[in-house]
Amino acid sequence: MGLDGLRVVVRRPHEVSAADLQEANVVAIDYVFQWENFPHPQELSYWPVDGLALAGVVSRHLSRMRTRASVVLRTGAVSELAQDLPKHVRVPLLAAQSGLDWILEKGSTDNADNLRQLADATAALEPFFSEEGARGWNEGCQWLGLPSLEWREAALAEIQVCRPPEHVVASYTSGSAWLRWFTQRILPFPAFLISELRAATLLHISVDQFTRIVHSGNSGLSRRLQECAYEGHLAGLVERRWWRSGLESLVDDILMEADPALPIPEALAEGYAALHGAAVQVLPFQRPVITIDADYVEDGVAEFEDCVRLAPDAWPVYADEPYALREDAADLPDVGAMVSRGDRERVKSVGM
């Protein structure tokens, strides 16, 4: 059957063949099966109890055959499976814990477009993990759709800081390690790609103003920002991401040309206005940082001095340091439990 450009083959668990796995770019597995309707052995060790268990079996067969397909779980029970995992990152964390590439939530992200993106991204990895293709990999710049602009080398350096599996490990896994690294360790966390809120804050402007400028048309500032949008593989799997290096390059260019006597916020406001042809209001902070809540959701922008550092579980060491308001850390136990050791005394002193 066809599905918006995809060739889709539907199999019941006992019908899946080696040829099916060798031909597939994505193996999407339903979490719930009515096993009483399918023939299977009665001994528990010989049949997977649900789609999560079946995904493990499929993954091992793919590894044994030295072939590559993304293994994706389709389920409406993400909350049940994830239990207490932080909501904002429960899909990538649950996928990592379960040996999956990704999880599609029924009624939310379980759609043809996401399946197509995963299939395209997987297929696009294959040429690079041969002996000849590896020579053109270059930190995955082609797969990532990295623009050939002045900040390209800075972006490649930032990618490498995140320790992508692009040598022996990636070759051994036929590229699956790269895909899982990208979906589970890069897209969910602020690293060389960042969210729209972080992109705006890096520029010292509000996210609403950032969005208006991006969509305002053909001003110089709008064009510079549009160049920083991530448009590589899996761009539609999460909310829009932006190249940090491109945004940093814009800020650096403006500050290099500004009057050195001006404070940074004023220098940026002048530079943005010159590029945009209209006034641009900068944030009223000297050092703005993004705060997160107990579910790792980015919930605001605050002055650095008013915040404490956090040490959330599974937060990559190469990602931006996470923060919360001191008052929130003092008043909300779930946030307070994440405060970094070095800042715990600052939380105790609130209100004293």
Side-chain angles (χ1 to χ4, degrees), residues 32-51:
V32 176
F33 294 116
Q34 301 297 326
W35 283 107
E36 62 271 17
N37 298 328
F38 305 143
H40 62 84
Q42 295 304 306
E43 295 83 3
L44 293 182
S45 298
Y46 289 92
W47 59 278
V49 66
D50 56 27

Side-chain angles (χ1 to χ4, degrees), residues 81-279:
L81 292 170
Q83 298 183 12
D84 294 330
L85 289 175
K87 291 180 181 178
H88 187 64
V89 292
R90 64 186 182 182
V91 165
L93 293 186
L94 180 59
Q97 291 176 4
S98 306
L100 298 163
D101 290 285
W102 197 247
I103 296 172
L104 297 175
E105 298 185 67
K106 291 185 176 180
S108 176
T109 61
D110 183 18
N111 54 55
D113 188 54
N114 281 334
L115 280 171
R116 186 192 308 103
Q117 287 189 60
L118 286 160
D120 289 344
T122 303
L125 283 171
E126 294 178 9
F128 293 106
F129 291 94
S130 63
E131 186 173 339
E132 291 184 3
R135 290 196 291 270
W137 179 241
N138 194 21
E139 317 299 342
C141 63
Q142 183 176 335
W143 191 87
L144 292 166
L146 179 58
S148 297
L149 298 171
E150 61 180 12
W151 45 268
R152 181 184 179 115
E153 284 301 319
L156 291 173
E158 289 189 354
I159 294 168
Q160 192 171 64
V161 166
C162 299
R163 293 293 185 268
E166 57 182 353
H167 301 297
V168 175
V169 171
S171 176
Y172 172 74
T173 60
S174 302
S176 63
W178 170 277
L179 193 75
R180 292 185 180 185
W181 166 81
F182 186 72
T183 58
Q184 298 167 12
R185 306 300 291 166
I186 298 301
L187 286 180
F189 300 100
F192 60 89
L193 298 178
I194 55 178
S195 69
E196 196 148 294
L197 176 60
R198 287 186 184 271
T201 305
L202 188 154
L203 298 175
H204 286 249
I205 62 178
S206 71
V207 68
D208 289 341
Q209 190 165 212
F210 179 92
T211 302
R212 287 197 299 271
I213 293 170
V214 168
H215 297 291
S216 64
N218 293 319
S219 77
L221 184 56
S222 177
R223 289 194 296 273
R224 286 290 296 267
L225 296 184
Q226 290 168 7
E227 291 173 349
C228 299
Y230 175 68
E231 296 178 348
H233 283 291
L234 302 178
L237 209 58
V238 295
E239 292 179 357
R240 198 170 198 185
R241 295 291 185 262
W242 301 83
W243 287 100
R244 178 195 299 279
S245 291
L247 300 167
E248 290 174 336
S249 175
L250 170 60
V251 171
D252 289 345
D253 288 348
I254 289 174
L255 294 180
M256 285 290 289
E257 296 176 3
D259 181 346
L262 285 177
I264 287 178
E266 291 182 25
L268 290 174
E270 282 194 5
Y272 295 151
L275 280 172
H276 192 48

